[in-house]
Amino acid sequence: MKVHEYQGRELLASFGIPVPAGEVITDAGRAAEAYGAVTGAAGTDLAVVKAQVHAGGRGKAGFVKLVRSAGEATEAAGFMLSNRMVSVQTGPEGLDVGTLLVAAGVDIAKEYYLAITTDRDTRRNVMIASAEGGVEIEQVAESNPDAIKKLPIDPESGLDEAEARAFADAVGFTGSQVEQAAKIMVALAKLYVERDCSLAEINPLIVTPGDEVLAIDAKFNFDDNGLFRQPEIAALDDGTDTDPAEKRAEEHGLSYIKLDGNIGCLVNGAGLAMATMDTIKHFGGEPANFLDVGGSASEEAVTEAFSIILSDPHVNGILVNIFGGIMDCGVIAAGVVNAAKNFENADGSTGFKVPLVVRLEGNNVEGGKKTLEAAHDSLPTLQAADDLSDGAKKIVAAVG
């Protein structure tokens, strides 16, 4: 789960990390008031208006604007709230902008990058920092990897201030900046663990001409598996970071991730789903999704899965790959056939119109295959497959 920048800044502040004053608005008519509030609190005439969307490239797209008057703030807000933001991360369709952050501007003497994520190799959280802040860390890693410093964090004792001070010094903070940066690092490490984060990023962490260290941007990702114990974090989710089909699948207990291909995949088991997608690609096709219906593969689950898969207009065919463990393949086949027969198309007709290839394996697989064969007359788009390779070849051929 992701949160917006303004929510991330509020999280930082709640753990004692200094951030400039900010106001959240959803109406351009409130921009002047918000501008006055944040600039008055900071004693400056400089403010920044920032679109709150789950995508990068806002600045280059014109959705981060520095303003020096209430009129400029209103103009910037009006533009952002009435246009879709198109950047390298949104695709050509862009994103609607419904929320803006109006924050006090600050003079910047130096920008740093600071983040914590989990290192799967060492199975520890790791703090990452660079003196080249304000740009994508991937660019720094490619152009100057030596500029990135890493500090593994002990899973039991956490990050102490002595370690943080030494790390801040190694990154390039000097004088009074070191103590301030160290406190921010310790607080960020505490926040990361206590709120079940999978990413906590401040980019940039800035130093002002007066040697004050401030966080002026925030990006957080949270472990979905930990949200049951983070009700306050879960409540921050406004649904805009999740594809509507993925949200719908979640509500029905299905795991769905949209991809860029044209062959829908309906599978029971995450490992089987990965193998299915790999096999489709091996035979020259492109999977349109990852969809795991779970262990039951009930008729209700299959019906909902078909509906979710075909909500993607790019899907030209579906490969069903089901392993019947405890469950009878005959029952599974009957569920797939009934779901396909009764599927309601957008034009109101029923029955599948796209090619459907079904591969079954496991308990009573022969009974399942007989059920599929008997359904061919009423479902002419249906083909049975002998194994996964056969199924992948058939669906790739069927979609051309």
Side-chain angles (χ1 to χ4, degrees):
M1 185 190 120
K2 300 176 184 177
V3 296
H4 291 295
E5 176 192 353
Y6 76 89
Q7 296 166 319
R9 287 163 64 113
E10 290 170 357
L11 270 172
L12 294 178
S14 71
F15 276 75
I17 297 174
V19 297
E23 294 278 339
V24 178
I25 64 171
T26 57
D27 180 352
R30 287 203 56 239
E33 177 188 350
Y35 170 84
V38 300
T39 55
T44 178
D45 68 347
L46 179 64
V48 60
V49 181
K50 308 173 84 172
Q52 299 299 284
V53 293
H54 294 292
R58 293 178 298 172
K60 291 181 180 178
F63 284 74
V64 174
K65 295 280 190 182
L66 290 173
V67 297
R68 289 192 176 274
S69 70
E72 288 182 2
T74 300
E75 182 181 356
F79 166 78
M80 294 180 194
L81 291 172
S82 59
N83 288 278
R84 292 175 69 84
M85 191 192 94
V86 179
S87 77
V88 293
Q89 292 190 16
T90 67
E93 69 278 4
L95 293 174
D96 281 326
V97 179
T99 304
L100 305 177
L101 171 66
V102 182
V106 291
D107 291 328
I108 300 173
K110 175 66 178 173
E111 295 182 332
Y112 291 85
Y113 176 92
L114 180 66
I116 301 177
T117 190
T118 301
D119 185 336
R120 302 298 177 185
D121 291 335
T122 63
R123 289 180 285 183
R124 287 189 175 195
N125 296 333
V126 60
M127 180 164 282
I128 304 168
S130 175
E132 296 186 19
V135 298
E136 295 293 332
I137 195 65
E138 293 83 4
Q139 296 178 19
V140 179
E142 184 176 342
S143 63
N144 187 13
D146 292 338
I148 299 175
K149 310 295 182 184
K150 297 181 179 180
L151 175 65
I153 300 173
D154 189 282
E156 292 187 353
S157 60
L159 179 65
D160 63 42
E161 290 200 11
E163 286 180 305
R165 283 193 293 270
F167 189 57
D169 181 71
V171 172
F173 292 96
T174 60
S176 64
Q177 303 167 12
V178 173
E179 189 69 27
Q180 295 177 71
K183 288 182 177 179
I184 290 171
M185 291 174 180
V186 170
L188 190 64
K190 183 179 179 183
L191 190 167
Y192 187 89
V193 172
E194 291 188 5
R195 293 295 180 264
D196 285 308
C197 300
S198 56
L199 173 69
E201 179 182 271
I202 302 172
N203 187 27
L205 178 69
I206 64 105
V207 176
T208 69
D211 273 351
E212 186 178 9
V213 183
L214 298 171
I216 64 169
D217 201 348
K219 179 180 179 180
F220 283 91
N221 292 355
F222 299 91
D223 184 349
D224 292 341
N225 295 314
L227 291 179
F228 72 95
R229 60 187 177 198
Q230 301 288 350
E232 293 181 359
I233 298 299
L236 299 177
D237 184 13
D238 63 2
T240 58
D241 70 320
T242 306
D243 181 277
E246 292 180 17
K247 196 74 174 177
R248 178 180 167 190
E250 182 182 334
E251 291 170 354
H252 287 84
L254 308 175
S255 297
Y256 172 85
I257 298 173
K258 184 181 181 303
L259 302 173
D260 295 329
N262 64 345
I263 297 175
C265 305
L266 191 159
V267 182
N268 65 334
L272 193 60
M274 298 298 289
T276 302
M277 293 189 296
D278 286 346
T279 307
I280 288 172
K281 288 185 70 71
H282 176 73
F283 288 106
E286 289 294 334
N289 66 270
F290 167 110
L291 193 147
D292 175 11
V293 297
S296 67
S298 66
E299 184 174 330
E300 292 77 14
V302 171
T303 299
E304 187 61 32
F306 281 155
S307 181
I308 291 170
I309 290 172
L310 290 173
S311 68
D312 180 353
H314 298 105
V315 171
N316 296 329
I318 297 177
L319 173 59
V320 175
N321 186 20
I322 297 291
F323 177 80
I326 297 174
M327 205 167 174
D328 189 312
C329 281
V331 175
I332 296 172
V336 170
V337 168
N338 289 335
K341 281 183 179 178
N342 298 321
F343 182 80
E344 186 172 336
N345 297 288
D347 61 5
S349 62
T350 56
F352 256 40
K353 293 184 176 180
V354 300
L356 173 65
V357 176
V358 181
R359 179 259 183 165
L360 299 175
E361 190 57 75
N363 179 23
N364 189 27
V365 64
E366 292 306 321
K369 288 181 177 180
K370 289 179 181 178
T371 299
L372 296 178
E373 290 169 4
H376 183 72
D377 289 342
S378 58
L379 275 175
T381 65
L382 171 65
Q383 297 183 69
D386 295 327
D387 53 37
L388 178 52
S389 293
D390 182 46
K393 288 177 184 177
K394 284 179 174 175
I395 194 62
V396 170
V399 301

